[in-house]
Amino acid sequence: MVPHLTTALTGPLLELERQFLDNAPEIEKWFRTQWQDHMPPFYGSTDLRNSGFKLAPVDLNLFPGGFNNLNDAFMPLCVQAAQSAVERICPDASSLLLIPENHTRNQFYLQNVASLVSILRLTGLDVRVGSLLPDIVEPTVLELNNGTTLTLEPLRRSGKRLGLDNFDPCAVLLNNDLSAGIPPVLKGLDEQWVIPPLHAGWHVRRKSKHAECYDRVAREFATTIGIDPWRINLDFGVCGQINFQERTGEECLAAQVDALLTRIRAKYKEYGVTDEPFVVVKADAGTYGMGVMTVTDASEVIGLNRRQRNKMAVVKEGLQVHEVIIQEGVHTFETVGEGVAEPVVYMMDHYVVGGFYRIHTERGRNENLNAPGMQFKPLAFDTSCIMPDVDLAPDAPPNRFYAYGVVARLALLAASVEIEETEPVHEIGEAA
């Protein structure tokens, strides 16, 4: 199943996908050389938006929480990629400790953890799940709605290592994005790998830094295959002096919104795009679609009402928002059934391992779909996004998915660069 695009597949979309097809050997060669210079994250997921004339990532998650939404057909790809990721970091690994979020009541998230455990165990690893929750004082079995179970165990710290009772793992894998900061139990683990590294957590990570790194990656890639980088990239601005509750910094935000909309209008005119430009204002740190608003005019961010301010002021873990990224908005022309849709691509190591569609029947094509009421439609990317078929049309399933895979890997590469450039001089909790 491939999403339906409401526009005719005869214009810039086909042109962009044709560029990917015609340059596939050069693209794969380029990626190989890049991965020689940059270590890929253990895993990641990226939300893409396809406007018909532009295909770009709008978010990159280094602690992906939707492995349960992948089609079962992806399991062999996931296992192979996970094996590669483990061998790259800890070649002699026989055991791994997984630390999830504290969402013990979120069945969908727990099913994600169980799916991740299954993938990792099929690589030959002994995998157990340690909980940061203080009320987990003994092994606790959770019954999941899909008929599976998940066992959470209390963490045990021993010197500079972290494990469980009678379990001393080679590495600690985080599926917790550290929005609330680094728990003391994770600090100073100098004798174990902690993956992703602690500085990849949202307590220090910024979307604007990732956007800057992606901009550089996209420009180099675009030069390689001869396209305008704007076709795969998002323009952006930053405002680091906002306080939504106290209504300070609105002028900074409005100025950034106005400047970005002006640049977008110029590109729309260049490409003959008749859609109304918009930007997305997001908290510069955080996930779960919190702290997000769509804006079509700078005046809309002046004098926000109480409901709007409350929505933007606080994100996950109750953290106050004082920094925002203003990101170029990308209309999505993809629909699945009656809902507007956007692809979400999952990766492990430097491999694409599958994906699904986020669908929302109550949102427009210029709105954030990561919101209550969204649905997920697992789709088997039969060619795993790396095997285009030049004998088929650019929008045929293998070629559409290949285009997804190319842009998703660009975002993952940007995350690699981001992690390298933000690494503290003395990393806390990661072996040298």
Side-chain angles (χ1 to χ4, degrees), residues 29-297:
K29 176 183 176 182
W30 184 85
F31 271 119
R32 283 196 302 273
T33 60
Q34 295 298 314
W35 294 126
Q36 290 172 9
D37 296 332
H38 304 286
M39 182 173 175
F42 186 88
Y43 51 16
S45 66
T46 187
D47 301 345
L48 304 178
R49 298 278 284 206
N50 186 352
S51 69
F53 55 86
K54 183 168 191 157
L55 175 61
V58 296
D59 199 19
L60 188 286
N61 188 0
L62 288 169
F63 304 86
F67 281 95
N68 57 307
N69 293 314
L70 299 184
N71 192 297
D72 288 340
F74 301 154
M75 184 61 76
L77 294 172
C78 291
V79 173
Q80 183 181 31
Q83 185 73 56
S84 176
V86 171
E87 289 174 353
R88 186 188 299 272
I89 294 169
C90 197
D92 300 324
S94 60
S95 58
L96 183 143
L97 174 63
L98 176 62
I99 299 181
E101 299 276 358
N102 295 335
H103 300 323
T104 54
R105 296 182 181 179
N106 187 325
Q107 279 284 323
F108 296 111
Y109 176 72
L110 293 174
Q111 290 171 27
N112 154 75
V113 176
S115 297
L116 187 53
V117 169
S118 296
I119 291 168
L120 294 169
R121 283 179 176 164
L122 286 171
T123 69
L125 288 171
D126 181 7
V127 181
R128 289 163 68 175
V129 183
S131 176
L132 292 167
L133 289 168
D135 56 345
I136 299 293
V137 296
E138 61 182 6
T140 302
V141 178
L142 304 178
E143 302 286 340
L144 306 186
N145 291 344
N146 61 359
T148 62
T149 62
L150 184 68
T151 301
L152 302 181
E153 300 184 63
L155 295 169
R156 298 288 186 254
R157 181 70 182 254
S158 177
K160 296 182 178 181
R161 299 184 68 84
L162 185 63
L164 310 173
D165 288 336
N166 303 312
F167 186 70
D168 183 23
C170 164
V172 177
L173 176 62
L174 298 176
N175 198 244
N176 183 310
D177 64 24
L178 305 178
S179 289
I182 305 174
V185 74
L186 292 178
K187 295 181 179 180
L189 298 178
D190 299 329
E191 297 178 2
Q192 284 171 302
W193 285 98
V194 177
I195 45 180
L198 295 178
H199 69 274
W202 283 123
H203 61 298
V204 292
R205 188 179 177 223
R206 294 294 178 267
K207 295 174 185 177
S208 52
K209 174 61 179 178
H210 177 77
E212 177 205 330
C213 294
Y214 182 83
D215 181 70
R216 281 183 271 145
V217 167
R219 288 177 184 277
E220 181 179 340
F221 174 81
T223 299
T224 300
I225 67 169
I227 64 172
D228 181 349
W230 182 76
R231 303 286 300 282
I232 55 172
N233 195 8
L234 302 178
D235 199 348
F236 72 99
V238 179
C239 178
Q241 49 183 309
I242 189 78
N243 188 315
F244 288 101
Q245 295 290 23
E246 298 179 5
R247 290 185 166 177
T248 59
E250 288 183 344
E251 294 77 12
C252 161
L253 180 56
Q256 289 287 348
V257 168
D258 188 59
L260 183 52
L261 283 170
T262 298
R263 296 197 297 270
I264 298 172
R265 291 187 188 102
K267 292 300 290 189
Y268 276 22
K269 183 176 181 180
E270 177 184 343
Y271 280 93
V273 178
T274 58
D275 294 303
E276 180 181 25
F278 72 100
V279 300
V280 179
V281 179
K282 299 179 179 180
D284 205 13
T287 185
Y288 293 128
M290 301 176 72
V292 179
M293 66 185 297
T294 299
V295 177
T296 58
D297 189 270

